[in-house]
Amino acid sequence: MGAASAALAALVLSGCAGTIPADPDGTLDRVENGILRVGASPNGEWVTLSPSGQPQGRDVQLISDFAARLGARVEWSTGTEHILAERVEEGELDVMIGGLRKDTPWEKNTGLTRPYAESLDTQGKKHQHVMLVPKGENAFLLKLDTFLKDAGGAR
């Protein structure tokens, strides 16, 4: 068992030598100094569309600043929350914004940032807000979460 076990242990451990957390699809490596693909769903002050269709708003400014920190150019896609969430799930978008609440139904099939902002609805109930990312892209998620924490969110 000695030499065979040692060889097997070395082989198994060599597979663990990568960076933790990791991105199975390499999102962070691809985005840094590249293109950040963002889905923006209109939702009040979080995301609005200018007459030319250009996204604006609180989340737009945050994600634009995040992209600048990564040296990335933002490639915007706009649409309904449902369509954009599916595109995040399929890995076609790196992040989705739009004042999404922590209790979003998209949590089952996507990753969520930590809550970065709070709002009150018309009944005075507090809601925490998150952004969607592809499930399992943990290095990218950690970088975005750290940025949102340091930026103080969209308060």
Side-chain angles (χ1 to χ4, degrees):
M1 197 160 126
S5 293
L8 180 59
L11 182 62
V12 168
L13 290 175
S14 69
C16 298
T19 304
I20 297 178
D23 286 341
D25 293 329
T27 300
L28 184 58
D29 288 339
R30 182 182 41 74
V31 168
E32 286 182 316
N33 300 307
I35 297 172
L36 178 64
R37 303 169 305 171
V38 180
S41 181
N43 183 7
E45 65 189 83
W46 302 95
V47 174
T48 61
L49 298 179
S50 71
S52 68
Q54 183 67 25
Q56 300 174 331
R58 295 167 68 169
D59 277 0
V60 173
Q61 187 60 56
L62 273 174
I63 213 68
S64 295
D65 292 347
F66 175 64
R69 181 158 305 167
L70 296 177
R73 178 177 63 82
V74 177
E75 181 179 276
W76 296 102
S77 294
T78 58
T80 66
E81 186 176 308
H82 180 83
I83 296 297
L84 295 174
E86 284 182 346
R87 291 187 63 200
V88 170
E89 182 181 348
E90 296 298 321
E92 296 172 10
L93 294 173
D94 303 313
V95 63
M96 181 191 155
I97 60 174
L100 300 164
R101 294 179 181 174
K102 182 180 176 185
D103 62 354
T104 178
W106 312 116
E107 180 179 17
K108 289 189 282 185
N109 300 320
T110 64
L112 303 180
T113 63
R114 292 180 185 261
Y116 63 90
E118 290 184 346
S119 68
L120 294 175
D121 65 19
T122 55
Q123 287 79 36
K125 183 179 177 187
K126 274 188 188 177
H127 296 282
Q128 294 182 319
H129 294 272
V130 298
M131 296 178 185
L132 301 184
V133 299
K135 203 169 201 73
E137 296 301 287
N138 295 323
F140 177 73
L141 177 58
L142 178 61
K143 190 76 138 184
L144 179 55
D145 273 337
T146 301
F147 170 81
L148 292 170
K149 180 179 175 256
D150 292 347
R155 296 176 199 264

